[in-house]
Amino acid sequence: MKSTAIANSNIALIKYWGKADDELFLPMNSSISMTLDNLQTICTVEFSEDFKQDVVEINSRPANPKTGDRIKRHLDLIRRIGKTNLKVKVATNYNFPIGAGLASSASASASLTLAGCSALGMNFDKRQLSILARQGSGSSCRSIYGGYVKWLKANASEGSYAVQIADENHFDIRDVIAVVSKEEKAVSSRDGMRTTVETSPLFKSRLQNVEVSLKDMEKAILDKDFEAIGRLAEADCLSMHATMLTSQPPLIYWEPITVKLM
């Protein structure tokens, strides 16, 4: 009962920031992303009667307790669906920095979900996998697909999943990534979102503007309008960071070199 899966990170063009439900990872707004072909997470999941306890390794080292517990909680969900109490060994390997703003949790939860379901013989379709992956890390639902992907907000778990707007061959576009730090963020995205939702005076205004941006971005992608994609993505990114900057306490994810590069 062993399976290996590869999932890729994604970069949000219209971003997800803020949960309507912390347990189910239901977003406060829909989002649109592009899946990246060179940022990969490879996850091997093995269930066995011989295992006495769950073991979680990341990049060939034992996972820290906080990360290990988060992974085990998601595996508990997969085990409940698969109707098994078997212990598990998880080996996850990344080819890019973890927790440094490159959506490592998205590819990690997607690959974990794919490998876990496959190891237990659960043949889910992409919508079902997207719903399940989302409950491990919200943006992971978008990494179930390649190309350009929209994650739908909803009031219930079954209605919040990702759909593909266009595949990776739709048109030739590149995301150039400059790694300015390999260190994990001091404040996780989960904690940062909660602070922003609760304290930023700009957050409600951002939600109203996102609804318009989503329609414009989807049209720009389908029209292969590179200039519009760039303009909309930059505006949305700055809007999201504005809500962080006006949180209490302020949240600044940019490094000095980030501003210099911009």
Side-chain angles (χ1 to χ4, degrees):
M1 303 177 71
K2 181 178 181 180
S3 184
T4 298
I6 299 174
N8 294 52
S9 179
N10 66 76
I11 182 71
L13 303 173
I14 301 296
K15 298 186 181 299
Y16 146 63
W17 193 256
K19 297 184 183 71
D21 188 309
D22 282 345
E23 297 298 320
L24 294 174
F25 289 78
L26 296 177
M28 296 190 78
N29 64 273
S30 298
S31 56
I32 293 176
S33 67
M34 178 173 72
T35 304
L36 307 175
D37 64 346
N38 282 326
L39 299 191
Q40 294 186 333
T41 302
I42 302 173
C43 183
T44 299
V45 175
E46 181 178 7
F47 295 93
S48 175
E49 295 178 352
D50 296 333
F51 298 156
K52 304 303 180 185
Q53 63 182 12
D54 292 334
V55 175
V56 179
E57 295 181 351
I58 296 177
N59 289 339
S60 302
R61 295 182 179 181
N64 65 55
K66 184 176 181 180
T67 301
D69 288 345
R70 188 168 67 241
I71 291 171
K72 290 173 187 177
R73 282 197 300 272
H74 192 54
L75 282 165
D76 287 341
L77 174 60
I78 293 172
R79 279 186 281 217
R80 285 200 302 273
I81 296 171
K83 298 179 180 180
T84 182
N85 292 315
L86 289 174
K87 298 300 182 183
V88 66
K89 180 177 180 181
V90 179
T92 300
N93 291 280
Y94 301 80
N95 71 349
F96 63 100
I98 304 170
L102 298 174
S104 57
S105 63
S107 55
S109 182
S111 61
L112 176 67
T113 300
L114 290 163
C117 290
S118 177
L120 292 177
M122 298 189 292
N123 298 314
F124 293 153
D125 61 27
K126 286 190 174 183
R127 183 183 67 83
Q128 293 170 311
L129 289 168
S130 180
I131 291 170
L132 184 53
R134 189 204 73 233
Q135 295 172 71
S137 173
S139 55
S140 68
C141 69
R142 299 186 308 232
S143 283
I144 298 297
Y145 294 91
Y148 307 86
V149 182
K150 184 176 183 179
W151 172 16
L152 306 172
K153 73 172 183 177
N155 295 323
S157 184
E158 291 302 307
S160 184
Y161 52 89
V163 294
Q164 190 181 64
I165 296 171
D167 68 21
E168 60 272 23
N169 299 312
H170 178 58
F171 75 130
D172 189 10
I173 186 171
R174 315 296 174 93
D175 181 30
V176 179
I177 296 169
V179 179
V180 298
S181 173
K182 294 183 179 180
E183 299 299 318
E184 289 196 33
K185 294 176 291 190
V187 178
S188 71
S189 294
R190 296 183 187 204
D191 293 338
M193 285 186 197
R194 189 177 301 112
T195 299
T196 299
V197 171
E198 292 174 354
T199 66
S200 172
L202 302 183
F203 187 73
K204 288 184 179 179
S205 175
R206 168 175 160 73
L207 289 181
Q208 293 172 354
N209 291 326
V210 163
E211 292 304 315
V212 176
S213 299
L214 283 163
K215 294 178 183 177
D216 291 344
M217 179 61 79
E218 187 165 354
K219 182 179 186 301
I221 290 170
L222 293 173
D223 291 346
K224 304 180 184 180
D225 186 342
F226 179 76
E227 188 278 333
I229 291 171
R231 173 172 46 80
L232 291 163
E234 182 176 43
D236 182 74
C237 178
L238 293 173
S239 166
M240 181 187 71
H241 281 281
T243 67
M244 298 177 193
L245 289 166
T246 53
S247 299
Q248 293 297 325
L251 181 60
I252 303 173
Y253 280 137
W254 290 340
E255 299 289 335
I257 186 64
T258 309
V259 180
K260 186 176 182 181
L261 284 169
M262 289 166 65

